Amino acid sequence: MAATWKDCVEAIEAGYEYMLAYAAQGLEAGQSGAHEAEVRKYLQAMSDALLRVAALGRELAQAQDGADTSHYASYLNALEHDANHALGAVQLVATRKGISSQLIDNLNASSHLRALLTDLFLLDEAMHRGG
């Protein structure tokens, strides 16, 4: 399970990148064998990270700015909202008996997952490089 902010971001990003390659293979549900087992591992890692990322984002903000993070509380709320929506999409796909390339392509295109990725990158940049 992802233990740190960095671990969460890496698990989500790695899953997204793997799924881009998976989607490009044109596999039908149940046709993908070992590839499907691998995509399921990424989906599980993403789910684990999505369950923790909002709390870790708050911890990151507090570590950076101390106890008063009120100036970006609404952004942290948006991160939590987007993580929950992305989690729902990831879990929906993970529960399917067969995972086709088309299903993964639709997950990749999901506005929920894309919004979350943008949230993560923005917060990461602001906390680590934006000073």
Side-chain angles (χ1 to χ4, degrees):
M1 179 177 274
T4 67
W5 169 260
K6 182 179 175 183
D7 293 338
C8 283
V9 172
E10 287 178 2
I12 295 165
E13 186 176 13
Y16 180 77
E17 289 174 2
Y18 182 83
M19 291 188 307
L20 287 173
Y22 187 91
Q25 293 178 31
L27 301 169
E28 296 296 324
Q31 175 190 15
S32 53
H35 295 290
E36 188 172 319
E38 190 70 14
V39 80
R40 287 185 186 283
K41 288 180 189 176
Y42 279 98
L43 289 167
Q44 183 60 54
M46 289 177 76
S47 290
D48 292 344
L50 289 165
L51 287 168
R52 295 188 35 83
V53 74
L56 290 169
R58 290 183 193 288
E59 290 176 16
L60 177 67
Q62 289 173 345
Q64 178 77 19
D65 290 359
D68 184 16
T69 58
S70 60
H71 51 285
Y72 47 88
S74 63
Y75 187 80
L76 294 171
N77 290 338
L79 170 65
E80 183 173 17
H81 178 267
D82 291 342
N84 286 333
H85 284 263
L87 176 63
V90 167
Q91 289 178 336
L92 171 68
V93 170
T95 62
R96 299 301 84 200
K97 185 175 180 179
I99 301 177
S100 68
S101 291
Q102 183 63 46
L103 183 59
I104 291 296
D105 192 41
N106 288 330
L107 176 59
N108 287 343
S110 162
S111 61
H112 304 299
L113 189 55
R114 289 178 179 246
L116 175 75
L117 287 166
T118 303
D119 293 345
L120 298 178
F121 299 148
L122 178 60
L123 186 60
D124 194 57
E125 186 67 26
M127 294 293 106
H128 291 108
R129 294 169 221 20

